[in-house]
Every structure is written in C-alpha cells, then in structure tokens.
Amino acid sequence: MKFVIHKNKVSWGTTWHIITDDGMGHVEAQIDNDNPNTLFVSGLSVYEAARRRGLATTMLHEIETLAIDNDIERIRLNVNKPKSWVYDFYIRRGYELWDEDEDDYYLVKYV
C-alpha cells in the first residue's frame, strides 16, 4: 500500500493528510505547538466498498510510524459514543480509554 502524504506547517502547529494512493482511505493528524508530544488524529475514513480489508489498520500503522519518526509520545483521538463499533476498532488496536464525556470517548495510545 502506498500513501500520498501532505504535510503543512501552520502558525499553531503541523498537519498531515495521509491518503491512500487509490483514494479509498484518508486520515488527518495534527500537532499543536502548545502540545508537541501529542499527535491528534481526526477523520480516519475508508470508502465503504473498501472496508474490511485492513486499510484502516494500515493507515493507523502509518500514523504510528509518523509519530515515532517525529519523536511524539502519544496519539490521541475522539470517538463519538453512538459509533461504538469504532470505539471497539481502536481498542483492539491498542488504544486505551483516557476520558469520556456525554458525547465522546477520548482514546490514547503511547508509542
């Protein structure tokens, strides 16, 4: 699997958009200058016809490699509570519940 990776430095930090070369998957990650040891992941998505083939897991491995290569200690993300299958997906891949509120689970993985 190959990825197209767009890195963008902005005034508040750095963002990465990681897209599969076939366009079937996308994930966004960012580091805030005020919290440089944490990579925040948002918007991991896989085109429905391409699901259940390991694509999301492969993209998570790419995110983890990006974190390690940039000396980042942890990866954080939010999961909307009604999407419990998404929560289970991350837990099976080593993410842990860090916090929660009425609407979201907050997960973390140390790399």
Side-chain angles (χ1 to χ4, degrees):
M1 167 85 31
K2 293 185 179 181
F3 296 98
V4 177
I5 300 174
H6 294 273
K7 180 180 179 180
N8 187 28
K9 289 204 169 256
V10 292
S11 62
W12 53 265
T14 304
T15 64
W16 288 269
H17 291 270
I18 301 172
I19 306 155
T20 59
D21 62 349
D22 62 3
M24 293 292 164
H26 170 269
V27 63
E28 181 180 343
Q30 57 217 20
I31 298 172
D32 188 320
N33 290 336
D34 294 334
N35 197 356
N37 292 322
T38 302
L39 183 67
F40 295 92
V41 174
S42 62
L44 174 65
S45 64
V46 175
Y47 185 67
E48 193 167 343
R51 291 183 183 162
R52 311 227 20 109
R53 298 181 192 163
L55 187 54
T57 299
T58 301
M59 288 192 300
L60 278 180
H61 287 300
E62 189 69 18
I63 287 289
E64 291 165 10
T65 298
L66 186 143
I68 291 166
D69 290 348
N70 287 277
D71 297 320
I72 297 167
E73 297 174 359
R74 65 188 157 269
I75 301 169
R76 285 188 36 202
L77 53 91
N78 302 357
V79 174
N80 190 269
K81 281 192 173 179
K83 295 188 175 192
S84 62
W85 67 272
V86 177
Y87 173 85
D88 294 338
F89 169 82
Y90 288 113
I91 294 297
R92 287 191 310 270
R93 281 146 188 89
Y95 288 78
E96 301 172 5
L97 182 63
W98 174 66
D99 199 3
E100 67 180 286
D101 62 23
E102 184 177 313
D103 300 316
D104 294 310
Y105 296 112
Y106 300 95
L107 304 178
V108 65
K109 184 173 186 177
Y110 293 90
V111 292

